[in-house]
Amino acid sequence: MRKLVATCILVAAALVFTACGNDNAVSTVGAETAAAHDLAHDTPPELVDRVNEDVVEDLQIISAVTVDTASFSQAMTGEALADMNKSAADDLAAGKYRKRDYRDVSVLINGYVSPVVEVRVDFEDHGYYVDASTGEALEAPSGERRTFAMALVEEEGQWKIKGIYSPTGTETASPPVQ
């Protein structure tokens, strides 16, 4: 019941996703690691590899987006998609866009209560803002290590990101402080 409540909280919360990504430098924690099995003990074993692969693919899709945000819907749904589209539109209105660059990505499954999988995603953020009219970088990448909890749901055969949260523990998460 506790996991169900935590999952419901994850699905209900919203966030503007500000992290960055690069499909050339993405890796996952293997499904066969002890840590993944410990955290994913309620997840059917056949889903562990698929969820890990789909999260990496989702991040690759997101990292390829700059000005045209239509591809976000291939990797995201629900509140996460709405928040990401709003953030991108706000950035473009301010004359900039986010170049995402995710590196050294690891994915750990925290729990599974059908139809939602909860994961923790850890990565190096090498993203930066770009001037929309000139294409010039507006800042240098920080390379900061970031961790997010994510709620995933399966749509069209793909586990998509439905919610993105700042983690507060191994099994629960809350919306990040802006």
Side-chain angles (χ1 to χ4, degrees), residues 20-22 25 63 99-103 123-128:
C20 302
N22 174 351
S63 70
K99 174 63 180 143
R100 293 166 181 83
D101 184 355
Y102 299 98
R103 297 182 190 177
F123 59 90
E124 287 179 14
D125 182 353
H126 290 271
Y128 54 93

Side-chain angles (χ1 to χ4, degrees), residues 56-121:
V56 169
E57 184 177 337
D58 291 344
L59 295 177
Q60 291 171 341
I61 291 166
I62 293 166
S63 70
V65 173
T66 54
V67 177
D68 179 3
T69 61
S71 296
F72 282 151
S73 65
Q74 294 173 13
M76 305 174 90
T77 189
E79 293 174 9
L81 177 60
D83 290 342
M84 184 69 99
N85 279 326
K86 182 181 179 331
S87 178
D90 291 347
D91 287 345
L92 282 174
K96 61 185 179 181
Y97 63 87
R98 189 83 175 157
K99 174 63 180 143
R100 293 166 181 83
D101 184 355
Y102 299 98
R103 297 182 190 177
D104 191 25
V105 175
S106 65
V107 177
L108 293 174
I109 296 175
N110 285 343
Y112 173 63
V113 178
S114 184
V116 178
V117 173
E118 180 186 337
V119 297
R120 289 177 59 95
V121 180

